[in-house]
Amino acid sequence: MDFKVVKFGGSSLANAEMIKKAEAIVRSDPRRKYVVVSAPGKRFSGDTKVTDLLYACYEAAAEGREFEPILAEIRSRYDEIVEGLGAKLDLDAEFQTIRAHLRSKPQRDYMASRGEYLSARVIACYLGFEFVDAADFICFNSDGTFDWEITNRAVFAALRRVKRAVVPGFYGADEWGTVHTFSRGGSDITGSILARALSAAVYENWTDVSGMLMADPRVVADPRTIALITYKELRELAYMGATVMHEDAVFPVRKCGIPINIRNTNRPEDPGTMIVPAVEEEKDQGEITGIAGRSGFSTITIEKAMMNSEIGFGRRVLSVLEEHGISYEYMPSGVDTMSIVVSTIDLDPCRNQVMNEICHTVQPDVIYFEDNMAMIAVVGRGMVRRKGIAARALTAVAEAGINIRMIDQGSSELNIIIGVEEKERENAIRAIYAEFAK
Ligand code: ADP
Ligand code: ASP
Ligand code: MG
């Protein structure tokens, strides 16, 4: 029998009522054998995620402040869940261990990981599945980087004989047993790693929306669901702010073509979004697949007469960024100008040095930095075949009275990037959505 790896996000496990919905989903299909869980998320708007409470608790302890009230709040979140589920589980010993850790030499990643750890303990007990700790097979190097290949073998060895398991997402450990986490939202990655290592038929990712939507539902009211999307498109959209799925979660399953199905825990009857390696042309309907946008970018614009004939110009500019550990996002250029889009957070600590070193290295006529930029990505595999998509997206933005600061079209013709001022990000997304959702 083929089987599924299923991951439930924090919003799907925020309280006992939500966990019961997740239980019904797991029990309704015997192929749902491996369950990856997040820490409890927000129960209502304005609530705090358990992971955020854990970070706050760590910070208090690390700075020598009182951490007990925050720890008590975390404890009460789990007590409420255990009680609501009627689970037979005493978390006293677990919280004693956490308290002892906080009193000795607290570690940030270890503390953050306890959210998923405790969630998995409780849910495994409630479902009657085996609890298997991710620290035993999600393998990090001691510098915090993740080791894909060792992990792949370790997951297979640890889980292939386990009939039904609940596994905490988000973290793993190095060979010394030190816990490391992925970046925020990283339980999506754990699910994908398990799906690949165990050769699941599908990786189901259960969340609080009915799939990947054409635009962020917090920006566009009631956006359409994307029924079918390729890994590449998902990665583009996730990277550019469609946070429904961690941008790195596609890599493990992509290696062996396992589809991802994003589903809604509150509406299990909805088919959600299927994320697949490729889509046959005839099944392609939409003109674009989706729109996403992110703020926090700066551009470095350089002008110099005859730039185009100066061999090595671009390399010398980029080597300055490389020396400061800055990776660039986009680089639209003209004959005598080039703009480099970078993340403002990366640029800030070394802004002046970068400016001076570029001036010294390539002696530009003009160089200037612009901050508070947002990048909007219009993504769609169908753009290669259809004419006029870029023109329509740009016209929609311009007609909404928004000044376009930069345009970049990826060479694969999978996306068009439009740079606007941060304050126009949402308006630009709405204008493009209105044009293509007509
Ligand atoms: P989980 O707790 O299940 O991991 P997340 O909060 O990480 O869920 O992701 C789901 C959220 O992603 C949605 O509630 C929605 O607000 C947000 N989101 C942003 N862009 C999109 C998009 N294009 N499609 C769907 N959801 C999106
Ligand atoms: N709990 C972690 C976070 O909030 C990981 C996750 O939910 O995927 O980022
Ligand atoms: Mg998430």
Side-chain angles (χ1 to χ4, degrees):
M1 182 181 73
D2 59 14
F3 64 90
K4 300 174 171 182
V5 168
V6 296
K7 177 255 170 182
F8 290 93
S11 46
S12 302
L13 305 170
N15 56 26
E17 189 199 340
M18 288 305 299
I19 294 174
K20 286 181 187 169
K21 291 187 191 177
E23 179 200 12
I25 290 164
V26 172
R27 299 226 194 270
S28 68
D29 184 346
R31 290 175 301 170
R32 295 186 173 124
K33 285 176 46 162
Y34 300 104
V35 181
V36 175
V37 296
S38 283
K42 294 183 184 185
R43 293 159 294 181
F44 43 84
S45 92
D47 195 17
T48 311
K49 290 179 168 192
V50 164
T51 307
D52 290 312
L53 291 173
L54 286 160
Y55 281 123
C57 190
Y58 159 79
E59 257 138 47
E63 290 163 15
R65 288 185 282 118
E66 180 62 272
F67 63 77
E68 285 292 349
I70 312 176
L71 193 59
E73 199 180 334
I74 296 164
R75 172 86 203 238
S76 77
R77 290 290 307 264
Y78 287 99
D79 284 348
E80 186 189 296
I81 289 172
V82 170
E83 205 189 302
L85 295 175
K88 299 213 169 5
L89 185 69
D90 184 355
L91 294 176
D92 267 351
E94 300 289 1
F95 274 89
Q96 279 309 342
T97 309
I98 295 173
R99 182 171 288 110
H101 172 84
L102 285 165
R103 290 211 174 115
S104 57
K105 226 174 147 217
Q107 286 167 359
R108 193 169 188 271
D109 281 7
Y110 172 81
M111 274 309 287
S113 75
R114 295 306 85 186
E116 272 64 17
Y117 170 83
L118 292 168
S119 198
R121 280 269 180 220
V122 172
I123 293 166
C125 167
Y126 177 61
L127 293 177
F129 285 20
E130 194 170 321
F131 166 85
V132 190
D133 195 349
D136 297 339
F137 49 77
I138 300 287
C139 306
F140 282 81
N141 302 307
S142 47
D143 64 0
T145 53
F146 176 63
D147 196 319
W148 295 98
E149 287 317 314
I150 293 184
T151 296
N152 198 43
R153 290 194 292 274
V155 172
F156 183 72
L159 287 174
R160 87 195 134 126
R161 292 213 175 81
V162 181
K163 272 209 171 117
R164 297 183 177 280
V166 176
V167 174
F170 190 39
Y171 72 93
D174 62 27
E175 59 177 321
W176 311 105
T178 303
V179 166
H180 299 270
T181 64
F182 295 112
S183 56
R184 296 299 303 266
S187 300
D188 291 332
I189 307 176
T190 310
S192 183
I193 290 168
L194 260 61
R196 178 203 167 193
L198 300 165
S199 304
V202 58
Y203 167 32
E204 286 180 352
N205 191 294
W206 292 84
T207 183
D208 62 349
V209 280
S210 289
M212 184 82 166
L213 308 173
M214 255 184 87
D216 188 331
R218 294 162 299 185
V219 176
V220 169
D222 205 14
R224 285 188 203 158
T225 300
I226 303 167
L228 209 54
I229 183 171
T230 62
Y231 296 136
K232 276 190 188 158
E233 291 171 301
L234 177 91
R235 166 121 174 108
E236 294 280 348
L237 288 169
Y239 183 70
M240 287 306 284
T243 50
V244 64
M245 185 101 188
H246 193 292
E247 76 229 31
D248 292 343
V250 292
F251 289 123
V253 285
R254 195 169 83 174
K255 285 199 182 331
C256 34
I258 298 168
I260 309 173
N261 187 197
I262 303 181
R263 302 280 290 269
N264 190 342
T265 308
N266 293 306
R267 294 181 54 91
E269 64 282 11
D270 290 352
T273 299
M274 284 305 283
I275 303 156
V276 294
V279 177
E280 291 164 38
E281 235 177 85
E282 59 268 29
K283 289 201 183 137
D284 253 343
Q285 272 148 18
E287 297 169 299
I288 64 164
T289 305
I291 310 151
R294 247 174 70 190
S295 300
F297 292 105
S298 299
T299 53
I300 305 171
T301 301
I302 302 165
E303 295 177 12
K304 187 175 185 188
M306 310 285 282
M307 179 192 284
N308 66 327
S309 54
E310 210 176 296
I311 291 169
F313 189 95
R315 181 184 51 74
R316 290 202 294 279
V317 172
L318 292 179
S319 70
V320 173
L321 297 181
E322 187 183 338
E323 269 157 35
H324 289 278
I326 302 174
S327 66
Y328 74 92
E329 308 280 338
Y330 307 101
M331 196 171 60
S333 55
V335 200
D336 291 335
T337 81
M338 69 190 278
S339 290
I340 308 163
V341 181
V342 298
S343 149
T344 310
I345 294 179
D346 292 348
L347 180 65
D348 265 344
C350 48
R351 201 174 261 272
N352 290 338
Q353 290 105 296
V354 167
M355 166 87 92
N356 293 341
E357 285 166 33
I358 292 179
C359 288
H360 178 75
T361 320
V362 293
Q363 279 143 17
D365 299 335
V366 179
I367 173 167
Y368 55 91
F369 291 11
E370 284 172 295
D371 296 326
N372 306 320
M373 298 279 290
M375 297 294 143
I376 315 287
V378 183
V379 176
R381 57 188 178 268
M383 283 195 300
V384 195
R385 289 188 302 278
R386 291 192 181 81
K387 290 201 181 77
I389 302 276
R392 277 171 61 199
L394 295 171
T395 307
V397 175
E399 280 180 356
I402 299 165
N403 191 9
I404 297 172
R405 307 291 292 272
M406 189 214 89
I407 304 163
D408 192 62
Q409 175 154 32
S411 48
S412 60
E413 283 198 56
L414 189 68
N415 63 7
I416 302 159
I417 305 293
I418 303 173
V420 299
E421 279 177 33
E422 263 171 19
K423 62 179 185 338
E424 300 287 14
R425 182 181 68 93
E426 296 198 350
N427 285 337
I429 293 174
R430 282 193 278 266
I432 299 168
Y433 181 81
E435 170 62 30
F436 290 98
K438 283 198 276 217

